[in-house]
Amino acid sequence: MNRTEPLVDPNRRAELFPVTRRWIYLNHAAVGPLPAYVLDAARHYLEAISRDGDHHWQETLQVVEDARTLLAELVGARPEEIAFTRNASEGISVLANGLDWQPGDNVVLPAIEFPANVFPWQNLARRGVDVRYVPLRDGRCEAADIIARMDGRTRVVSVSSVQFFNGFRLDLAPLGAFCRDRGVLFCVDAIQQLGALPLDVGSGSVDFLACGGHKWLMSGEGIGFLYCRAELLDRLHPAAVGWMGVRDWEHMLNYRLEFPPAARRFETGNLSAFGVHNLKAAVGHYLRLGPAAVAARILTLAELTAEAAGQRGWTVLSPDGPARSGIVSFRVPGCDAVDLVARLSAAGVQAAVRNGAVRMSPHFYNTAEEVAEAFIRLDRIVKSTDGR
Ligand SMILES: Cc1ncc(COP(=O)(O)O)c(C=O)c1O
């Protein structure tokens, strides 16, 4: 593929991605804007419930199951291994609160995890569970470093497959295989990967995965999902239960608390049908476009971003090669990142600040021209900052 060849028909880009009319949007690692095909699904659902109330309930249930099937395809799982959640934090909490911990057990995490993958584990302190942090080396936390922090009491290793701060992408397979060999559960926060770069739970030996829909999947906030490997289901005690998570939920007065052989046991009651409609539209579109083509496009744009920062002599904090993802972070010497990003926003470019660095995260519909233009605007800001 040509390095700058677009994946989206340029004549339809503004129609499909309305955000492009106003912004150069390089902030998908924070929140992905809703594409028109997701907005249409949302509108369809809201209009139906506004017009007809409960009349479409059966259709809604079907949409939930269709979305579950698409999510299973997204991560290489079976639909019974997928449950909807509100967000990644809730998904990770299902695992953290579901295990039968013994005092002295420990969980191993990289030292720069997003707090969604820290607090659910810290919350187990009252059950005597220790959280062990793996220090980073040169912005990376490799499998070998994590393995070195494990011991005979390690029950879970929990990692972001792509780090939120500098985008370091971990090679899951060797770490997953090591954990599987030793009977340690391997949990992945995949929110910075799914929708951008492919992930297969089988080849990564992943036992449990949590994700939210509002970043690279561009489905809006408040809807997410988890994957729980079928063999793990019965080892987790659902910490929250509800009427729709049981085997015979349609028989409302039967009161038998029996779980189905499926991850939907973690779903409690009614889901955000709104969110599920959005997620279904977004994931369906992504799978039709082709995960490999999307990944190639994002990696090209990320590389152009890193090159642009590097050429200016700025400090690029993101790894290249196989550890590259859709996230590129850099520091501009002598400039405050918060100030830069605020002024960049005023100039029509959205990026983020994380850990004192500018973070850019282009998606497949962005263009090479947008990346180049973002840096031209950044140059102007940096120049005026120097002169102040
Ligand atoms: C790695 C990572 N995990 C989780 C989240 C969000 O967690 P939640 O879906 O619980 O809001 C973020 C960003 O907001 C993140 O970067």
Side-chain angles (χ1 to χ4, degrees):
M1 172 174 126
N2 179 320
R3 275 191 90 193
T4 53
E5 191 184 314
L7 197 58
V8 178
D9 176 356
N11 298 319
R12 295 202 58 210
R13 201 174 82 105
E15 175 202 331
L16 290 173
F17 300 95
V19 72
T20 59
R21 295 201 171 110
R22 277 188 74 175
W23 299 95
I24 294 178
Y25 197 85
L26 304 175
N27 204 12
H28 299 87
V31 173
L34 292 193
Y37 47 86
V38 177
L39 194 59
D40 286 346
R43 198 177 282 132
H44 176 80
Y45 168 71
L46 291 177
E47 281 174 2
I49 198 164
S50 167
R51 192 181 54 234
D52 302 320
D54 190 41
H55 186 65
H56 300 286
W57 164 247
Q58 287 300 334
E59 274 166 53
T60 297
L61 291 181
Q62 190 54 51
V63 170
V64 169
E65 294 318 311
D66 292 348
R68 198 188 301 282
T69 301
L70 288 173
L71 290 169
E73 189 183 335
L74 178 73
V75 299
R78 299 204 297 266
E80 313 83 75
E81 296 175 308
I82 303 292
F84 292 96
T85 59
R86 282 180 300 173
N87 48 46
S89 306
E90 190 174 71
I92 293 168
S93 297
V94 165
L95 178 64
N97 297 332
L99 283 169
D100 171 26
W101 298 97
Q102 302 300 321
D105 287 344
N106 69 63
V107 182
V108 175
L109 318 172
I112 197 156
E113 281 301 299
F114 191 80
N117 186 31
V118 178
F119 293 143
W121 307 113
Q122 285 188 353
N123 195 35
L124 298 170
R126 67 194 159 81
R127 292 166 78 174
V129 177
D130 189 25
V131 182
R132 296 181 159 200
Y133 303 94
V134 183
L136 271 67
R137 282 190 294 132
D138 205 15
R140 295 166 175 256
C141 190
E142 306 280 5
D145 303 320
I146 296 171
I147 288 168
R149 284 293 280 146
M150 294 168 66
D151 65 12
R153 297 302 306 271
T154 303
R155 300 275 310 277
V156 175
V157 167
S158 193
V159 296
S160 294
S161 52
V162 168
Q163 286 297 329
F164 81 102
F165 155 59
N166 68 355
F168 168 70
R169 179 186 185 181
L170 180 69
D171 181 7
L172 298 179
L175 184 57
F178 183 89
C179 289
R180 184 70 53 88
D181 266 5
R182 280 158 185 76
V184 173
L185 294 175
F186 187 37
C187 171
V188 173
D189 173 347
I191 200 170
Q192 295 292 5
Q193 176 152 353
L194 290 175
L197 307 174
L199 187 159
D200 181 78
V201 289
S203 51
S205 302
V206 177
D207 293 300
F208 195 94
L209 175 149
C211 187
H214 68 284
K215 296 182 187 289
W216 301 90
L217 289 169
M218 298 191 283
S219 310
E221 288 117 325
I223 186 70
F225 71 98
L226 63 79
Y227 152 80
C228 179
R229 193 159 75 94
E231 294 76 2
L232 178 58
L233 280 174
D234 285 333
R235 283 176 57 196
L236 296 186
H237 181 77
V241 293
W243 70 285
M244 291 183 84
V246 301
R247 191 184 280 270
D248 282 327
W249 65 268
E250 290 98 335
H251 300 117
M252 294 171 196
L253 295 180
N254 147 0
Y255 294 172
R256 266 206 309 272
L257 181 55
E258 284 173 5
F259 296 117
R264 71 171 178 83
R265 62 178 66 185
F266 303 121
E267 282 175 3
T268 66
N270 274 293
L271 299 167
S272 164
F274 172 70
V276 174
H277 277 75
N278 297 352
L279 197 52
K280 181 190 164 202
V283 174
H285 188 91
Y286 168 78
L287 292 173
R288 282 192 298 278
L289 264 180
V294 169
R297 176 78 186 151
I298 290 174
L299 291 173
T300 296
L301 293 171
E303 207 171 299
L304 290 175
T305 307
E307 272 173 20
Q311 279 158 5
R312 286 161 171 80
W314 299 344
T315 314
V316 178
L317 304 166
S318 301
D320 54 13
R324 175 163 329 280
S325 66
I327 294 177
V328 177
S329 298
F330 55 89
R331 292 204 174 98
V332 182
C335 292
D336 171 42
V338 173
D339 179 55
L340 280 187
V341 166
R343 294 171 71 193
L344 201 51
S345 172
V349 180
Q350 288 199 46
V353 185
R354 294 293 183 272
N355 204 15
V358 178
R359 184 184 74 178
M360 290 184 170
S361 44
H363 216 319
F364 67 85
Y365 67 86
N366 287 121
T367 64
E369 291 73 26
E370 283 183 310
V371 172
E373 179 59 28
F375 276 88
I376 289 170
R377 295 186 198 175
L378 199 46
D379 283 339
R380 276 191 219 119
I381 293 166
V382 171
K383 218 165 150 192
S384 68
T385 309
D386 285 348
R388 277 201 296 196

